Amino acid sequence: MPTTAAPSRSELISHLVNTRIAGEVATPRENNLAHYRELANGNRYFWLGLEFGDRWADEQDVLAVMAERCGVDGDPEHRQGQDTIDPELTVDGLDRAATLLRKAAAGSRRVLVATGHPGGLLDVHSRTAAALTAAGCELVRVPIGLTADEGVVTQLADVAVWERGATLWHTHSPQPMAEILDALSQEGQALPDLVIADHGWAGCAAQYGIDTIGYADCNDPALFLGEAEGTLSVCVPLDDHVTNARYYEPMTAYLLDVAGLAPG
């Protein structure tokens, strides 16, 4: 772990590779290609709340975007074994995200933070929410009583999450975010100016026309395609569940520092 409060770019890149947040990641090539194929075949589970029509019906086109924006191996003949996320692209994504965070803080904008990957990214999102709140942003409160996919849509540490049986669950579904946005409209509340999320939470918000920062793994191509089409504002490539959630702390510190939101 870097020893400075906010690592430099080079320090962060070394950390990302050492912890396998980027570089040679744990997600195998076979899994990546299978997901690209499912998206191309029209399996909406893999669209993460975005609408693609028939624009990505060729899985090789999906692979080309993933090679460009995520850093996976672009060779279609590489079918098995190790795959990669380019750490330079991860930090580039963080830099673009920091620009949006800085603008949100400067304009005291209305922000919603959410995660479908609480086991890995809850603290990343929570710290981001706290920093934006301290900078004067209005954090959206999730309306009470919302349900989706046989679970409860709630908020923990200022982050919207999906709960079933007193447990926070991993979910790719866009439905929890749709329930929040629809409920806000029904209550006469303004939609968020900015959403920071992942999985279907991010894809759904982007599809609603909201500026959205999304974190995405190399086996979740939809958010990268959304960014390529201009629907999603920023997609940050990373392994979204490494062996210890604390490994994301230097990444979060870098993000908030570049955004001018570092505490103290």
Side-chain angles (χ1 to χ4, degrees):
M1 301 279 277
T3 56
T4 54
S8 67
R9 182 184 179 98
S10 61
E11 288 172 333
L12 178 59
I13 286 173
S14 295
H15 173 74
L16 295 174
V17 171
N18 290 339
T19 56
R20 301 184 75 185
I21 294 173
E24 293 189 346
V25 293
T27 309
R29 179 67 167 187
E30 303 92 303
N31 186 260
N32 284 343
L33 295 181
H35 286 204
Y36 305 167
R37 186 177 311 113
E38 290 286 349
L39 183 147
N41 288 340
N43 186 337
R44 298 179 71 86
Y45 174 85
F46 294 91
W47 289 15
L48 301 181
L50 290 160
E51 293 296 333
F52 294 122
D54 59 359
R55 296 188 298 279
W56 299 98
D58 187 337
E59 65 183 275
Q60 300 307 322
D61 292 339
V62 178
L63 174 60
V65 171
M66 293 303 293
E68 176 188 3
R69 293 180 177 266
C70 183
V72 302
D73 190 332
D75 181 4
E77 299 304 315
H78 177 40
R79 310 298 301 177
Q80 295 182 323
Q82 184 66 57
D83 214 339
T84 54
I85 293 175
D86 186 341
E88 296 279 355
L89 294 178
T90 303
V91 182
D92 288 347
L94 292 170
D95 289 342
R96 296 195 304 277
T99 298
L100 288 184
L101 297 184
R102 184 185 292 272
K103 289 180 179 178
S108 300
R109 293 181 176 174
R110 186 167 161 82
V111 180
L112 175 62
V113 186
T115 186
H117 228 306
L121 299 179
L122 180 61
D123 191 57
V124 175
H125 289 302
S126 178
R127 292 183 184 217
T128 304
L132 288 169
T133 301
C137 287
E138 178 189 356
L139 205 65
V140 172
R141 300 285 287 170
V142 173
I144 293 173
L146 299 185
T147 60
D149 302 326
E150 300 181 354
V152 176
V153 184
T154 187
Q155 205 160 20
L156 178 68
D158 289 328
V159 181
V161 291
W162 185 63
E163 176 191 356
R164 288 185 66 185
T167 301
L168 302 185
W169 281 67
H170 168 236
T171 178
H172 287 71
S173 173
Q175 195 58 39
M177 177 61 77
E179 292 294 332
I180 295 172
L181 300 179
D182 290 345
L184 292 174
S185 295
Q186 290 166 9
E187 293 181 2
Q189 297 190 50
L191 294 182
D193 300 306
L194 176 67
V195 166
I196 306 151
D198 48 67
H199 286 177
W201 302 79
C204 177
Q207 191 63 44
Y208 271 65
I210 300 168
D211 275 346
T212 302
I213 297 167
Y215 293 95
D217 208 329
C218 54
N219 63 353
D220 291 325
L223 298 190
F224 295 96
L225 299 182
E227 183 187 42
E229 291 191 335
T231 307
L232 187 86
S233 304
V234 175
C235 186
V236 181
L238 81 176
D239 187 315
D240 54 18
H241 198 150
V242 293
T243 55
N244 193 314
R246 288 188 59 196
Y247 290 159
Y248 296 106
E249 290 176 0
M251 183 191 80
T252 309
Y254 176 91
L255 171 67
L256 297 181
D257 184 63
V258 173
L261 299 174

